[in-house]
Amino acid sequence: MSSTTVGRPENTTQRAVLNTLKGSSGNLVEWYDVYVYTVFATYFEPEFFGGDEPNAGIFTMAIFAVTFIMRPVGSWFFGRYADRRGRRPALVLSISMMAVASMVIALLPTHDSIGSLAIVLLVMCRLLQGFATGGEYGTSATYMSEAATAERRGFFSSFQYVTLIGGHALAQLMLLVLQVFLDDEQMSAYGWRIAFAVGGLAAVTVFWLRSTMDESMSASDLDSVDKESGSLRTLFTTHRKALLTCFLITMGGTIAFYTYSVNAPATIKATYKGEGLTASWINLTLLLFLMALQPIGGLISDRIGRKPMLVFFGIGGVIWTYFLITYLPQITDPMGSWALVAVGYVILTGYTSINAIVKAELFPVRVRALGVGVGYALANSVFGGTAPVIYEAAKKSDHVTAFIVYVTLCIAASLLVYIFVLRNKSETELDREQGHAYASTKASPVTHDAEVVS
């Protein structure tokens, strides 16, 4: 069977690995394009806001937050498209939009050339990227969950966050490489443009890879598509409990993710400013560490279940957020900074490594991409994308303690959902689907997948 054939390919781990690699490669490039913005922000913000704008840092992070407005819209569009036309075409379209936006940003004129119009064009490009990212998460989470063998769903689906974090790591690596060859003046003049251009060019290869991967929806699923497939009305009426659960699962996880993986690296950069490449090395090795933890977390969940992993994250996040935000700015020893964030990343893995599969297991195939995408995007837009700008504003107004309380309460609210709403169950929506293209022909002895309590 051709790799591009829609239907039911032979069920093998080898095929699951191949399709996971093809699907996650696009995820890697898309999230590189997302995070290259925050990693290179200090270099390009004077180019768009002028060198004398005192609030340039807040405005730059505000643009990062504004792009999250488009994520629910993107999740609706791509979720509907993926549930009606298939996962593969939706993923191909998503990566195409992201690539175009990255190339345009790399070529944008600056404030000195066209004034405030430069900011407007930057916002428009980032809105397009937010739209594409909104579709990427739900569709790729669905694809990798469906493409996995039943007994290793946690492991295979964990590669969504391996590549999501990998995109951030690649952006940090790009910064490190450019810092070696360019000075600060050159980085501000054109170094950041190189970083965005690389993301756009990398998508050409990913476009080909995604166009050759298997469709994870079976032929019978595609043949049975009707007006209820990918329908918001169906999602909000028939599956509203699953949608609300998806939103609440995401709430604490997404705010912790952006607080730990965006705010913490920014704090390290500020702490070691003027000390060469120290901050870049710390942040890069930390992200590589977080990447390595994801498959481990996925494997553990395949043995003990998803719920214990989420509870571990919730309890750890409630305790550790205060220590991370309070003491990280005070530490001036690189190993101390590394260790403080590393503990946070171990805790965070309880959420990141399995959140894709937990959400995919909540919905049936006809609304899975839509349900996962919308539930994630709404929580991500409200709580995740706003975390960096709220933190910047809190620092400027000396209200960091209030920010700590805010993040801790969000994680605590999700923890209650993990404890009282989810349960470990050996059969989920993925298992019930007779037409699931990659489901194992033998029942896994221990799956313990998380499901909403009836």
Side-chain angles (χ1 to χ4, degrees):
M1 177 178 291
S2 169
S3 62
T4 59
T5 301
V6 175
R8 186 171 297 114
E10 181 185 354
N11 172 39
T12 64
T13 300
Q14 182 179 2
R15 184 174 290 278
V17 170
L18 183 61
N19 285 301
T20 298
L21 289 174
K22 289 180 178 180
S24 60
S25 62
N27 207 43
L28 178 71
V29 173
E30 287 223 28
W31 288 100
Y32 167 88
D33 289 334
V34 169
Y35 284 112
V36 76
Y37 180 92
T38 60
V39 171
F40 284 84
T42 54
Y43 292 108
F44 67 72
E45 64 183 33
E47 301 297 305
F48 288 96
F49 294 100
D52 56 352
E53 172 55 60
N55 295 313
I58 293 178
F59 292 154
T60 301
M61 286 299 104
I63 292 176
F64 178 76
V66 165
T67 62
F68 283 73
I69 294 174
M70 292 301 293
R71 290 199 182 185
V73 181
S75 68
W76 164 77
F77 174 85
F78 283 99
R80 179 183 175 88
Y81 189 86
D83 285 331
R84 295 192 172 192
R85 303 292 183 86
R87 320 307 190 198
R88 186 181 66 215
L91 288 170
V92 171
L93 180 59
S94 174
I95 190 65
S96 302
M97 289 184 176
M98 183 65 79
V100 169
S102 287
M103 288 303 299
V104 172
I105 291 176
L107 300 173
L108 280 180
T110 63
H111 185 273
D112 289 343
S113 301
I114 58 173
S116 298
L117 182 59
I119 302 174
V120 174
L121 294 175
L122 177 62
V123 171
M124 291 177 64
C125 288
R126 290 295 294 173
L127 287 174
L128 180 60
Q129 288 187 318
F131 179 79
T133 305
E136 175 68 21
Y137 178 89
T139 309
S140 65
T142 298
Y143 181 84
M144 282 189 260
S145 298
E146 292 174 344
T149 55
E151 68 277 5
R152 288 289 178 266
R153 284 196 187 120
F155 173 74
F156 282 113
S157 64
S158 73
F159 280 87
Q160 187 194 33
Y161 258 75
V162 169
T163 48
L164 188 154
I165 298 163
H168 197 173
L170 276 181
Q172 289 285 352
L173 179 61
M174 178 61 68
L175 173 63
L176 187 62
V177 170
L178 290 176
Q179 283 177 329
V180 170
F181 295 100
L182 305 176
D183 57 31
D184 286 348
E185 185 177 344
Q186 292 171 319
M187 288 287 287
S188 295
Y190 60 86
W192 61 271
R193 295 183 184 275
I194 296 174
F196 279 101
V198 166
L201 293 174
V204 175
T205 301
V206 171
F207 180 89
W208 175 79
L209 286 173
R210 283 193 162 178
S211 64
T212 60
M213 66 188 187
D214 289 314
E215 173 56 58
S216 66
M217 288 181 72
S218 68
S220 60
D221 286 333
L222 287 169
D223 289 340
S224 64
V225 167
D226 55 27
K227 64 179 182 179
E228 301 299 319
S229 300
S231 164
L232 274 179
R233 185 180 66 82
T234 300
L235 181 64
F236 280 97
T237 56
T238 308
H239 305 285
R240 58 181 177 273
K241 184 174 182 180
L243 180 63
L244 178 60
T245 302
C246 181
F247 177 88
L248 294 174
I249 287 172
T250 305
M251 178 176 67
T254 191
I255 197 169
F257 180 76
Y258 282 93
T259 298
Y260 290 19
S261 70
V262 175
N263 291 342
T267 299
I268 289 174
K269 286 174 68 175
T271 300
Y272 298 98
K273 187 176 183 180
E275 295 187 29
L277 304 177
T278 301
S280 296
W281 276 114
I282 293 173
N283 287 331
L284 177 59
T285 54
L286 278 167
L287 287 173
L288 294 175
F289 174 68
L290 182 57
M291 282 178 61
L293 289 173
Q294 302 312 298
I296 297 173
L299 282 172
I300 293 173
S301 79
D302 286 327
R303 297 294 299 173
I304 69 173
R306 324 296 185 209
K307 178 174 179 175
M309 297 290 291
L310 290 171
V311 172
F312 164 76
F313 155 70
I315 294 174
V318 166
I319 296 172
W320 196 248
T321 299
Y322 167 79
F323 291 98
L324 179 66
I325 299 176
T326 300
Y327 294 108
L328 186 60
Q330 302 175 22
I331 298 176
T332 57
D333 173 60
M335 286 304 300
S337 298
W338 196 96
L340 195 66
V341 178
V343 172
Y345 283 176
V346 171
I347 294 169
L348 189 62
T349 297
Y351 167 80
T352 55
S353 63
I354 62 167
N355 81 99
I357 185 66
V358 168
K359 297 165 193 174
E361 288 169 340
L362 296 173
F363 300 96
V365 65
R366 60 168 40 193
V367 293
R368 181 170 296 134
L370 181 67
V372 173
V374 170
Y376 164 82
L378 289 174
N380 191 242
S381 299
V382 175
F383 299 102
T386 56
V389 68
I390 292 175
Y391 180 60
E392 286 295 324
K395 286 195 301 181
K396 195 172 184 65
S397 61
D398 197 25
H399 287 95
V400 174
T401 301
F403 178 77
I404 295 172
V405 172
Y406 166 62
V407 174
T408 302
L409 288 176
C410 288
I411 298 174
S414 288
L415 175 59
L416 294 177
V417 175
Y418 306 152
I419 294 173
F420 297 109
V421 179
L422 297 183
R423 64 182 178 186
N424 275 349
K425 188 175 177 66
S426 60
E427 184 182 64
T428 68
E429 291 290 349
L430 286 171
D431 298 303
R432 297 187 187 106
E433 292 159 8
Q434 297 293 323
H436 177 49
Y438 299 96
S440 175
T441 56
K442 295 182 180 180
S444 174
V446 182
T447 51
H448 297 304
D449 299 329
E451 184 168 282
V452 183
V453 173
S454 300

